[in-house]
Structures are given as C-alpha cells and as structure tokens.
Amino acid sequence: MGAADYRCVVEEMRLQNGALFPIPISLSIANETEIKLDKNVALVDSRNEIVATMMVEQIYEWDLNATAQNVYGTTDVRHPLIAEMHRWGKFNLAGKLRVLRLPQRYDFSELRLSPAQTRSRLQNMDHENVVAFQTRNPLHRAHEELTKRAAEEVNGVLLLHPVVGLTKAGDIDYFTRVRTYKALASYYYNSKRILLALLPLAMRMAGPREALWHALIRRNYGASHFIIGRDHASPGNDSHGLPFYEPYAAQELVQRFEEEIGVRLLPYG
C-alpha cells in the first residue's frame, strides 16, 4: 500500500482531541472474562506483577477486519500482526489508567532510559539537533555510515534507539543485538556524538503508519530528525507474493506530517 492509499483513512489516525496517533493501542479480553463496568481491573506484567489499574468505562466488541484494513491496509493473515489479531479476544476494554510502577527490567539496565532521562542526556551533549535511528536488526557497515553521515548533516547527535520488545519472527534476539550496538557505540563512533538507549516497544510491522508512529515516539525522546530508509517496518510479501507496502511509502507519509509532529525526515535509499 502506497502513501496515496492512506488518504481515505488518514483522518482515522487521530484521537478524539485531534492529536495525530496512527497506531491504536487496545486491550482485548477473552470472551468469557467476567469484567464489569465501573470496576477496577489489575494490569500485570509477564511475571504476574501488577503495574497498573484500569477503571473500566467501556466494554465493546471490535471489528477485526475493519481494524486490520484501516490500520494495516490489509486483512491478509500473511501479515504477522493480522495473524496475531485472530488470537485476540473479541472485546476491548477502555478506561482511565493509574500506573503504579513500570515493569522491572534487569538486563541492560544502564541503557533503559525513560524519555525524560534520554532528553536530559541529550541536552548535556550540547548539540541542538538529534537524529534518531530505529532498528530491530544488527547494524551493518552501511547503517554505520548512513547514521554517521546523518548526524554530520544536521550537526547533531545520533540517538541509536533499537527496539527490544517483540519483533518479527526470525529476527535475531535482542540480547545479541544489544551487545553489537554497545560494541559499535564504544569503538566505531565518536562518544560525544552518540547516545545508545533501548526502546521497549513491540513492532506492529505496519509500514507507513508505523514509521509515523515511530517518529512521534522519538520526538518524545528528544529527537528533532528521524532516519527512514527503504521498507521501514515492512512485514514482507503478502499471500500473492507482493509487498504489503510500497518501498518508499513510509517516507512519503512521514514527510506529509513532519511539520505537525516536529520531526524532520532524513530519507535514505
């Protein structure tokens, strides 16, 4: 799906208050779950420890095909997120959240910086511009070169910001990847021009919409520029052997909204 194909659903990328938010975040429940309106429910992490509570204000049935088509541009189950959605419950919960604590992480704790911590570190590096680089793979030599050139181009700092949540099946595990990022940052980059931090985000493989979402997230972490290459957040080919998204559709969509979100696109081929 090219960027032009998103025109019919572009207004659906906004919250009720008009804010741009291209990927919905929902909480589905099993159909047999007994949850009542106006009651608190506990939200737990993978260790079954409570991290937040939600006051349930809505319980509603959601339309899988409509959601898939509007957000991901397809209902094809070859798309990994569409396949996963078929395992979700048929009802969503909505309501006010009260965060009690963030999930505990014990690996690479020195790199797990919050948005506020990241912005503070970047401000101390004395460069006005910050170029963020999104990755779920090890960096190869071309990545190294383009990230260095991007930082030089805007006379700024590189925010190397790899995703360490759920990624695409077959990806290299993040423990291995983070070790490679640490080695690169230590030995192949100017330490005064790079900040390595980890992003605990699950990939949706949503192509153009995900690129826009990633740009918004990086703005919250202090980035002024965002590198987007060919096939950003691509799930590969559909059941007919054709790409789900055009190779440069992500660049086109982000460029359309860069003034609004305050993040400049740095396109690479």
mmCIF file of all heavy atoms in Angstrom, residues 163-187:
data_model
loop_
_atom_site.group_PDB
_atom_site.id
_atom_site.type_symbol
_atom_site.label_atom_id
_atom_site.label_comp_id
_atom_site.label_asym_id
_atom_site.label_seq_id
_atom_site.Cartn_x
_atom_site.Cartn_y
_atom_site.Cartn_z
ATOM 1 N N VAL A 163 14.695 -1.215 19.015
ATOM 2 C CA VAL A 163 13.523 -1.827 19.646
ATOM 3 C C VAL A 163 13.938 -3.129 20.321
ATOM 4 O O VAL A 163 14.607 -3.970 19.719
ATOM 5 C CB VAL A 163 12.433 -2.106 18.593
ATOM 6 C CG1 VAL A 163 11.349 -2.999 19.161
ATOM 7 C CG2 VAL A 163 11.837 -0.794 18.100
ATOM 8 N N VAL A 164 13.547 -3.302 21.588
ATOM 9 C CA VAL A 164 13.883 -4.527 22.318
ATOM 10 C C VAL A 164 12.624 -5.208 22.854
ATOM 11 O O VAL A 164 12.673 -5.994 23.790
ATOM 12 C CB VAL A 164 14.876 -4.250 23.467
ATOM 13 C CG1 VAL A 164 16.217 -3.829 22.916
ATOM 14 C CG2 VAL A 164 14.341 -3.196 24.434
ATOM 15 N N GLY A 165 11.480 -4.896 22.252
ATOM 16 C CA GLY A 165 10.265 -5.635 22.553
ATOM 17 C C GLY A 165 10.075 -6.734 21.518
ATOM 18 O O GLY A 165 11.019 -7.158 20.856
ATOM 19 N N LEU A 166 8.837 -7.173 21.353
ATOM 20 C CA LEU A 166 8.525 -8.211 20.379
ATOM 21 C C LEU A 166 8.762 -7.685 18.970
ATOM 22 O O LEU A 166 8.287 -6.609 18.612
ATOM 23 C CB LEU A 166 7.064 -8.643 20.536
ATOM 24 C CG LEU A 166 6.591 -9.814 19.664
ATOM 25 C CD1 LEU A 166 7.281 -11.097 20.068
ATOM 26 C CD2 LEU A 166 5.071 -9.968 19.792
ATOM 27 N N THR A 167 9.516 -8.442 18.176
ATOM 28 C CA THR A 167 9.781 -8.033 16.795
ATOM 29 C C THR A 167 9.302 -9.122 15.846
ATOM 30 O O THR A 167 8.500 -9.973 16.219
ATOM 31 C CB THR A 167 11.275 -7.727 16.587
ATOM 32 O OG1 THR A 167 12.051 -8.904 16.844
ATOM 33 C CG2 THR A 167 11.748 -6.603 17.510
ATOM 34 N N LYS A 168 9.789 -9.090 14.629
ATOM 35 C CA LYS A 168 9.343 -10.020 13.607
ATOM 36 C C LYS A 168 9.930 -11.407 13.844
ATOM 37 O O LYS A 168 11.085 -11.546 14.257
ATOM 38 C CB LYS A 168 9.773 -9.501 12.225
ATOM 39 C CG LYS A 168 9.181 -10.248 11.038
ATOM 40 C CD LYS A 168 9.625 -9.573 9.748
ATOM 41 C CE LYS A 168 9.084 -10.292 8.519
ATOM 42 N NZ LYS A 168 9.558 -9.649 7.276
ATOM 43 N N ALA A 169 9.126 -12.437 13.592
ATOM 44 C CA ALA A 169 9.605 -13.809 13.742
ATOM 45 C C ALA A 169 10.849 -14.026 12.890
ATOM 46 O O ALA A 169 10.901 -13.616 11.732
ATOM 47 C CB ALA A 169 8.507 -14.790 13.334
ATOM 48 N N GLY A 170 11.874 -14.645 13.490
ATOM 49 C CA GLY A 170 13.121 -14.893 12.776
ATOM 50 C C GLY A 170 14.175 -13.835 13.018
ATOM 51 O O GLY A 170 15.325 -14.012 12.600
ATOM 52 N N ASP A 171 13.806 -12.730 13.677
ATOM 53 C CA ASP A 171 14.799 -11.701 13.993
ATOM 54 C C ASP A 171 15.801 -12.231 15.024
ATOM 55 O O ASP A 171 15.476 -13.091 15.847
ATOM 56 C CB ASP A 171 14.117 -10.457 14.569
ATOM 57 C CG ASP A 171 13.446 -9.610 13.507
ATOM 58 O OD1 ASP A 171 13.648 -9.886 12.309
ATOM 59 O OD2 ASP A 171 12.721 -8.667 13.870
ATOM 60 N N ILE A 172 16.991 -11.670 14.989
ATOM 61 C CA ILE A 172 18.000 -12.016 15.986
ATOM 62 C C ILE A 172 17.559 -11.502 17.345
ATOM 63 O O ILE A 172 17.034 -10.389 17.458
ATOM 64 C CB ILE A 172 19.359 -11.424 15.583
ATOM 65 C CG1 ILE A 172 19.854 -12.085 14.289
ATOM 66 C CG2 ILE A 172 20.397 -11.580 16.684
ATOM 67 C CD1 ILE A 172 21.112 -11.489 13.721
ATOM 68 N N ASP A 173 17.748 -12.302 18.397
ATOM 69 C CA ASP A 173 17.303 -11.915 19.732
ATOM 70 C C ASP A 173 17.974 -10.624 20.173
ATOM 71 O O ASP A 173 19.107 -10.318 19.789
ATOM 72 C CB ASP A 173 17.607 -13.031 20.739
ATOM 73 C CG ASP A 173 19.100 -13.227 20.934
ATOM 74 O OD1 ASP A 173 19.701 -13.981 20.133
ATOM 75 O OD2 ASP A 173 19.660 -12.625 21.856
ATOM 76 N N TYR A 174 17.263 -9.862 21.008
ATOM 77 C CA TYR A 174 17.770 -8.536 21.352
ATOM 78 C C TYR A 174 18.980 -8.590 22.277
ATOM 79 O O TYR A 174 19.787 -7.655 22.301
ATOM 80 C CB TYR A 174 16.664 -7.655 21.932
ATOM 81 C CG TYR A 174 16.314 -7.880 23.386
ATOM 82 C CD1 TYR A 174 17.070 -7.307 24.407
ATOM 83 C CD2 TYR A 174 15.199 -8.624 23.734
ATOM 84 C CE1 TYR A 174 16.734 -7.494 25.738
ATOM 85 C CE2 TYR A 174 14.853 -8.814 25.060
ATOM 86 C CZ TYR A 174 15.625 -8.249 26.062
ATOM 87 O OH TYR A 174 15.279 -8.428 27.375
ATOM 88 N N PHE A 175 19.177 -9.676 23.032
ATOM 89 C CA PHE A 175 20.375 -9.786 23.863
ATOM 90 C C PHE A 175 21.629 -9.718 22.995
ATOM 91 O O PHE A 175 22.585 -9.001 23.293
ATOM 92 C CB PHE A 175 20.362 -11.103 24.644
ATOM 93 C CG PHE A 175 19.190 -11.256 25.570
ATOM 94 C CD1 PHE A 175 18.104 -12.038 25.210
ATOM 95 C CD2 PHE A 175 19.159 -10.611 26.789
ATOM 96 C CE1 PHE A 175 17.019 -12.185 26.049
ATOM 97 C CE2 PHE A 175 18.082 -10.740 27.644
ATOM 98 C CZ PHE A 175 17.002 -11.529 27.273
ATOM 99 N N THR A 176 21.611 -10.467 21.908
ATOM 100 C CA THR A 176 22.746 -10.468 20.978
ATOM 101 C C THR A 176 22.878 -9.117 20.291
ATOM 102 O O THR A 176 23.982 -8.566 20.165
ATOM 103 C CB THR A 176 22.576 -11.575 19.933
ATOM 104 O OG1 THR A 176 22.459 -12.839 20.596
ATOM 105 C CG2 THR A 176 23.744 -11.602 18.965
ATOM 106 N N ARG A 177 21.739 -8.564 19.852
ATOM 107 C CA ARG A 177 21.783 -7.299 19.127
ATOM 108 C C ARG A 177 22.342 -6.170 19.999
ATOM 109 O O ARG A 177 23.170 -5.378 19.547
ATOM 110 C CB ARG A 177 20.378 -6.934 18.636
ATOM 111 C CG ARG A 177 19.869 -7.809 17.512
ATOM 112 C CD ARG A 177 18.625 -7.245 16.881
ATOM 113 N NE ARG A 177 17.440 -7.369 17.725
ATOM 114 C CZ ARG A 177 16.815 -6.340 18.291
ATOM 115 N NH1 ARG A 177 17.265 -5.110 18.117
ATOM 116 N NH2 ARG A 177 15.727 -6.536 19.014
ATOM 117 N N VAL A 178 21.879 -6.100 21.241
ATOM 118 C CA VAL A 178 22.318 -5.000 22.097
ATOM 119 C C VAL A 178 23.818 -5.068 22.341
ATOM 120 O O VAL A 178 24.503 -4.039 22.413
ATOM 121 C CB VAL A 178 21.544 -4.988 23.425
ATOM 122 C CG1 VAL A 178 22.114 -3.957 24.393
ATOM 123 C CG2 VAL A 178 20.066 -4.688 23.163
ATOM 124 N N ARG A 179 24.368 -6.271 22.434
ATOM 125 C CA ARG A 179 25.823 -6.395 22.598
ATOM 126 C C ARG A 179 26.560 -5.843 21.379
ATOM 127 O O ARG A 179 27.628 -5.234 21.513
ATOM 128 C CB ARG A 179 26.193 -7.857 22.851
ATOM 129 C CG ARG A 179 25.686 -8.395 24.191
ATOM 130 C CD ARG A 179 26.202 -9.797 24.471
ATOM 131 N NE ARG A 179 25.667 -10.322 25.715
ATOM 132 C CZ ARG A 179 24.670 -11.205 25.795
ATOM 133 N NH1 ARG A 179 24.115 -11.674 24.692
ATOM 134 N NH2 ARG A 179 24.231 -11.618 26.969
ATOM 135 N N THR A 180 25.983 -6.057 20.192
ATOM 136 C CA THR A 180 26.626 -5.497 18.991
ATOM 137 C C THR A 180 26.512 -3.976 18.978
ATOM 138 O O THR A 180 27.454 -3.285 18.582
ATOM 139 C CB THR A 180 26.018 -6.073 17.699
ATOM 140 O OG1 THR A 180 24.674 -5.598 17.513
ATOM 141 C CG2 THR A 180 26.015 -7.594 17.712
ATOM 142 N N TYR A 181 25.373 -3.438 19.409
ATOM 143 C CA TYR A 181 25.217 -1.984 19.448
ATOM 144 C C TYR A 181 26.207 -1.357 20.430
ATOM 145 O O TYR A 181 26.789 -0.305 20.158
ATOM 146 C CB TYR A 181 23.792 -1.598 19.872
ATOM 147 C CG TYR A 181 22.688 -2.178 19.036
ATOM 148 C CD1 TYR A 181 21.496 -2.609 19.628
ATOM 149 C CD2 TYR A 181 22.796 -2.289 17.648
ATOM 150 C CE1 TYR A 181 20.466 -3.135 18.877
ATOM 151 C CE2 TYR A 181 21.768 -2.822 16.886
ATOM 152 C CZ TYR A 181 20.601 -3.251 17.513
ATOM 153 O OH TYR A 181 19.582 -3.782 16.773
ATOM 154 N N LYS A 182 26.393 -2.013 21.569
ATOM 155 C CA LYS A 182 27.328 -1.486 22.573
ATOM 156 C C LYS A 182 28.753 -1.476 22.026
ATOM 157 O O LYS A 182 29.503 -0.515 22.242
ATOM 158 C CB LYS A 182 27.243 -2.319 23.852
ATOM 159 C CG LYS A 182 25.948 -2.164 24.621
ATOM 160 C CD LYS A 182 25.901 -3.045 25.854
ATOM 161 C CE LYS A 182 26.884 -2.597 26.917
ATOM 162 N NZ LYS A 182 26.742 -3.391 28.158
ATOM 163 N N ALA A 183 29.114 -2.526 21.315
ATOM 164 C CA ALA A 183 30.458 -2.584 20.737
ATOM 165 C C ALA A 183 30.654 -1.490 19.687
ATOM 166 O O ALA A 183 31.687 -0.803 19.658
ATOM 167 C CB ALA A 183 30.699 -3.962 20.127
ATOM 168 N N LEU A 184 29.649 -1.310 18.838
ATOM 169 C CA LEU A 184 29.745 -0.273 17.816
ATOM 170 C C LEU A 184 29.842 1.115 18.439
ATOM 171 O O LEU A 184 30.688 1.937 18.052
ATOM 172 C CB LEU A 184 28.518 -0.342 16.893
ATOM 173 C CG LEU A 184 28.578 -1.377 15.773
ATOM 174 C CD1 LEU A 184 27.196 -1.610 15.194
ATOM 175 C CD2 LEU A 184 29.526 -0.918 14.681
ATOM 176 N N ALA A 185 28.967 1.391 19.420
ATOM 177 C CA ALA A 185 28.959 2.715 20.049
ATOM 178 C C ALA A 185 30.281 3.000 20.749
ATOM 179 O O ALA A 185 30.748 4.148 20.776
ATOM 180 C CB ALA A 185 27.798 2.812 21.037
ATOM 181 N N SER A 186 30.906 1.963 21.295
ATOM 182 C CA SER A 186 32.146 2.147 22.054
ATOM 183 C C SER A 186 33.373 2.317 21.168
ATOM 184 O O SER A 186 34.282 3.085 21.498
ATOM 185 C CB SER A 186 32.371 0.956 22.990
ATOM 186 O OG SER A 186 31.339 0.870 23.955
ATOM 187 N N TYR A 187 33.401 1.599 20.036
ATOM 188 C CA TYR A 187 34.638 1.530 19.262
ATOM 189 C C TYR A 187 34.575 2.175 17.883
ATOM 190 O O TYR A 187 35.615 2.408 17.273
ATOM 191 C CB TYR A 187 35.066 0.070 19.098
ATOM 192 C CG TYR A 187 35.349 -0.611 20.416
ATOM 193 C CD1 TYR A 187 34.504 -1.598 20.905
ATOM 194 C CD2 TYR A 187 36.453 -0.258 21.187
ATOM 195 C CE1 TYR A 187 34.757 -2.235 22.126
ATOM 196 C CE2 TYR A 187 36.717 -0.881 22.403
ATOM 197 C CZ TYR A 187 35.861 -1.868 22.857
ATOM 198 O OH TYR A 187 36.111 -2.483 24.065
#
